[in-house]
Amino acid sequence: MKAYFYPLTLLLASTLSACGGGSGTNTTTPPVSTPVVTTPIVSAPALPPGGKPAGWKLVWSDEFDQAGLPSADKWMFDTERNKAGWFNNERQYYSKDRLENARVADGKLTITALKEQLSSAPDYGGQAYTSARLLTRGKASWTYGFFEIRAKLPCGLGTWPAIWTLGTKGAWPDDGEIDIMEHVGKNKGQILGSAYSNFYNWANGTGNTKATTVNDACDTFHNYQLYWDQNQLAIAVDDKYYFQFVNAKTGDYKKWPFDQPQYLILNLAIGGDLGGAVDDNIFPSKFEIEYVRIYQP
């Protein structure tokens, strides 16, 4: 899913770690160096007001009000890399249709990571932990919109929850990735937002990312938000934007693939290049989501 990198953000720069990859992801570990990259100077559009844009309509949602497994009409379980092992040296086995790892109850979805070995599963790859990774791929995707996901995060050492999107064309990083939220337990309260393309990605050492601090991210629910149109991507927590990635309008797909559909991913990874060492005393570890709402004009 993700890996360490030294990022360069268009108009904003910081040295952080970030998310990357999916089915067919390049798993090469990037060199530990800070590259020099020249980006075109563009006039940044004004950030929108915080919250849902006025007049925009709800086009897709999951309020998690039907108890049981996540709705099969809206979500699929991603298990494709269990046998071979997940990207970025992550240590979890992602289960399918298993309430122990993904359950809707009491008006929320809970993705639970457990310390256990499902060695009897035909696609078992030797993992010591289980979790779940849910996608809207093949069921729903969007080009532009305002995304709002209300969630409470796990904070145990080794946890790595993420709310993110990938391009429906299927090539990473060519078709784009947007990280609405990622967090690792070793950096409690540090929320990362990112955007990747063929040119801007951690494998090249040119990833776009920015961080904000939410001190009680693991104690209470917060709204993780993305505003996306033809001019910019902007990422916020609780209506406060902290990341902006601007479309330079050069027509270069390698730098801006974000005029094509993206699907949504919710997952809880364990360990790996960014998650780091795992404290086995943290389990069960829970990533709770109250709702997912997507609006468009």
Side-chain angles (χ1 to χ4, degrees), residues 3-19 30-36 182 184 186-187 190-194 196 202 205-213 243 274:
Y4 280 117
F5 70 96
Y6 287 77
L8 174 74
T9 305
L10 184 61
L11 306 177
L12 300 165
S14 60
T15 302
L16 299 163
S17 302
C19 185
V32 181
S33 61
T34 304
V36 177
E182 65 174 335
V184 291
K186 65 183 180 183
N187 297 324
Q190 184 186 73
I191 305 301
L192 304 179
S194 309
Y196 299 117
W202 58 259
T206 55
N208 291 311
T209 208
K210 189 74 174 174
T212 191
T213 299
F243 172 94
L274 183 56

Side-chain angles (χ1 to χ4, degrees), residues 55-287:
W56 287 31
K57 298 178 180 179
L58 186 69
V59 296
W60 192 94
S61 69
D62 197 336
E63 303 295 326
F64 302 115
D65 51 7
Q66 297 294 320
L69 290 167
S71 171
D73 292 333
K74 297 180 178 181
W75 303 97
M76 64 166 285
F77 288 87
D78 189 0
T79 62
E80 292 178 6
R81 293 283 304 186
N82 281 336
K83 189 71 172 179
W86 286 92
F87 304 108
N88 307 304
N89 299 306
E90 296 163 25
R91 298 174 62 185
Q92 74 288 327
Y93 173 96
Y94 282 134
S95 69
K96 178 181 180 182
D97 296 333
R98 189 169 185 257
L99 289 169
E100 291 89 340
N101 297 119
R103 179 188 296 267
V104 176
D106 302 321
K108 63 188 176 186
L109 165 68
T110 301
I111 297 176
T112 303
L114 299 168
K115 179 172 170 50
E116 60 177 347
Q117 295 180 318
L118 294 186
S119 56
S120 61
D123 62 346
Y124 178 64
Q127 296 91 342
Y129 311 96
T130 64
S131 186
R133 171 163 155 147
L134 300 174
L135 322 177
T136 66
R137 186 178 66 197
K139 298 177 183 293
S141 60
W142 307 269
T143 304
Y144 313 139
F146 179 77
F147 295 60
E148 182 171 82
I149 299 90
R150 185 166 178 81
K152 183 168 69 172
L153 312 182
C155 270
L157 190 65
T159 58
W160 190 355
I163 302 167
W164 52 306
T165 73
L166 284 174
T168 58
K169 291 183 178 180
W172 189 92
D174 304 56
D175 297 321
E177 172 186 335
I178 306 168
D179 297 341
I180 301 171
M181 182 288 301
E182 65 174 335
H183 175 273
V184 291
K186 65 183 180 183
N187 297 324
K188 183 177 179 180
Q190 184 186 73
I191 305 301
L192 304 179
S194 309
Y196 299 117
S197 66
N198 177 279
F199 183 85
Y200 297 108
N201 65 80
W202 58 259
N204 288 342
T206 55
N208 291 311
T209 208
K210 189 74 174 174
T212 191
T213 299
V214 180
N215 289 321
D216 61 352
C218 306
D219 303 313
T220 191
F221 286 85
H222 290 273
N223 294 338
Y224 298 95
Q225 300 158 321
L226 165 69
Y227 176 90
W228 168 26
D229 66 13
Q230 67 271 26
N231 298 313
Q232 65 177 315
L233 304 172
I235 297 172
V237 180
D238 296 333
D239 301 344
K240 296 179 181 179
Y241 288 100
Y242 68 95
F243 172 94
Q244 183 183 36
F245 179 50
V246 176
N247 182 2
K249 299 292 184 72
T250 63
D252 187 346
Y253 189 77
K254 292 182 178 180
K255 295 182 178 180
W256 180 270
F258 301 110
D259 293 324
Q260 301 294 324
Q262 300 253 323
Y263 61 88
L264 185 65
I265 307 169
L266 307 174
N267 71 283
L268 172 53
I270 299 297
D273 296 335
L274 183 56
V278 181
D279 178 1
D280 284 346
N281 295 312
I282 67 172
F283 299 98
S285 185
K286 298 185 177 185
F287 179 21

